[in-house]
Amino acid sequence: MERTYRSWLDGGFESAQREYTEPTPLLAEDGRLLAAGWARHNVFSYDRNRVKKPLRRKEWDFYQLSDGHYMVQLSFANISLGGYASAVLVDLRQGKTLCSTMAPFLGGKDRYILPPNGDAPGTVEMKVGKSLFRTETTENQRLLQFRMDDVSCEFRLEQLPGQENITTVLPFDGHPDRYFMTTKLNCMPCEGTFRFGTEEVRLSKDSAFGVLDWGRVCTPYSLVWYWGNGSACLTDANGARHLFGFEITWGIGDEHSATETCLFYDGVAHKIGPVDVKTFPKPDGYLHPWEFISQDGRFQMTMQPFYDHHSDLNVGVMRMHSHQVHGLWSGTVVLDDGTALEIHDMYAFCEYVENRW
């Protein structure tokens, strides 16, 4: 099975990794993309009214929390034709969804407008029908809430002061007004409770971490991507504990200016180059080992899968098809100063997605 995306493993692909450090407008008044690259904080000024094809505009705030046993997904998405607020609870070890609830809405083009920057303090509160999605962000924490019928969730995510993320802006060849802008912020210890009916699941900050996937995009109709992410607490030879994480996304758009690939160590981003998996998992290799390799040699990891969280929403002209594979990761990563970290059986995930939306 051949890859359905451009890979550096096929030869000839390199990325300049252009970093932005100053406030930069994202779009011109006529909707053309002005910036392509990455940043340690979201410095890209986003004006949704400059998008000239608003039905291609999609905006979301998505949080995934997990301790390697249970996984919680809390999200609010506006994809112009409509959108939803949702909460999902999955038992990864038993391989089953314990609770999934969604409040959909139609006609989201000018409704339920999310903030233009997911990296700034502030409050998001969205009510759709009987549901409530709320986040409150300060410098040191994020408070998450979701309520709908007999489901209620409350979680607190901790952030280090000045904690860096990776924000990327990727263009699309032949489409000067299309872009994919996301912020990925992980390494956030989290604690809280997911209640549904008479049941309750708790996450402890001693073992659970959260990741924010914040997106403001204007894309072509069909997309393919990989998204891999993980967070852990590592102990060094002196017994000191360090927050470590990684973010690897690829396959989306033109990656010549930057790739969405990064290591995090004690709140600092360490940029790495293009990443890919040696063996394309489609169609039936999702639960086989995934061997990851980076072009610069700084990310050499293997995932031993234990669960494929597969979903397929197919409504004709729109399809969202995902294999989010969870497993234990081992290998070596290298920080900017050349320090090599040996990783052993770290829980993390990687998904392969094919969307028409």
Side-chain angles (χ1 to χ4, degrees), residues 115-131:
N117 192 323
D119 197 22
T123 299
V124 174
E125 184 168 306
M126 298 292 181
K127 296 179 180 179
V128 181
K130 297 180 179 180
S131 76

Side-chain angles (χ1 to χ4, degrees), residues 62-338:
F62 173 87
Y63 289 87
Q64 183 163 299
L65 326 171
S66 183
D67 60 2
H69 184 167
Y70 295 104
M71 177 181 71
V72 175
Q73 296 176 331
L74 302 177
S75 59
F76 191 93
N78 183 334
I79 58 174
S80 294
L81 295 175
Y84 58 87
S86 71
V88 177
L89 174 65
V90 178
D91 187 329
L92 298 172
R93 297 297 178 170
Q94 295 295 320
K96 63 180 180 180
T97 299
L98 301 179
C99 179
S100 179
T101 185
M102 176 186 293
F105 61 87
L106 295 175
K109 183 169 69 72
D110 298 311
R111 301 174 63 196
Y112 301 110
I113 298 174
L114 291 163
N117 192 323
D119 197 22
T123 299
V124 174
E125 184 168 306
M126 298 292 181
K127 296 179 180 179
V128 181
K130 297 180 179 180
S131 76
L132 169 69
F133 175 90
R134 187 176 189 277
T135 67
E136 181 180 341
T137 301
T138 65
E139 181 182 2
N140 297 321
Q141 68 177 8
R142 291 172 183 257
L143 301 177
L144 312 182
Q145 290 181 308
F146 179 92
R147 293 199 301 270
M148 183 176 174
D149 299 328
D150 63 347
V151 176
S152 65
C153 310
E154 292 189 7
F155 292 94
R156 181 171 67 90
L157 284 64
E158 297 180 353
Q159 293 182 216
L160 296 173
Q163 181 170 340
E164 295 180 350
N165 60 59
I166 181 168
T167 298
T168 53
V169 178
L170 302 176
F172 291 89
D173 291 340
H175 299 281
D177 58 353
R178 307 294 172 90
Y179 58 88
F180 202 91
M181 177 173 68
T182 60
T183 295
K184 301 291 176 58
L185 173 63
N186 53 334
C187 296
M188 293 185 288
C190 73
E191 61 182 0
T193 304
F194 191 116
R195 298 181 178 89
F196 57 108
T198 60
E199 304 295 322
E200 177 180 285
V201 169
R202 292 181 176 272
L203 297 181
S204 166
K205 67 178 182 180
D206 294 331
S207 57
F209 293 90
V211 56
L212 165 66
D213 173 7
W214 177 96
R216 305 292 185 267
V217 310
C218 182
T219 67
Y221 172 58
S222 298
L223 286 180
V224 171
W225 71 73
Y226 285 86
W227 175 33
N229 192 280
S231 302
C233 189
L234 304 182
T235 302
D236 65 21
N238 299 316
R241 294 167 64 84
H242 304 272
L243 282 174
F244 166 75
F246 64 83
E247 159 61 25
I248 52 171
T249 296
W250 72 96
I252 303 174
D254 184 344
E255 297 179 303
H256 281 89
S257 295
T259 55
E260 194 175 335
T261 53
C262 196
L263 307 174
F264 300 100
Y265 197 67
D266 289 340
V268 177
H270 297 251
K271 189 71 183 70
I272 61 174
V275 171
D276 204 343
V277 60
K278 281 189 174 181
T279 302
F280 190 35
K282 184 181 177 180
D284 56 4
Y286 294 103
L287 290 177
H288 297 166
W290 293 39
E291 186 176 356
F292 299 86
I293 184 172
S294 64
Q295 191 177 50
D296 55 18
R298 294 177 56 189
F299 192 89
Q300 310 285 338
M301 298 275 275
T302 298
M303 174 176 67
Q304 298 289 340
F306 60 76
Y307 176 57
D308 178 6
H309 184 57
H310 178 220
S311 61
D312 190 2
L313 175 62
N314 191 346
V315 290
V317 297
M318 185 179 76
R319 186 183 187 190
M320 304 174 72
H321 187 202
S322 171
H323 288 267
Q324 190 184 71
V325 180
H326 299 256
L328 299 180
W329 297 52
S330 299
T332 303
V333 300
V334 180
L335 304 180
D336 285 345
D337 64 0

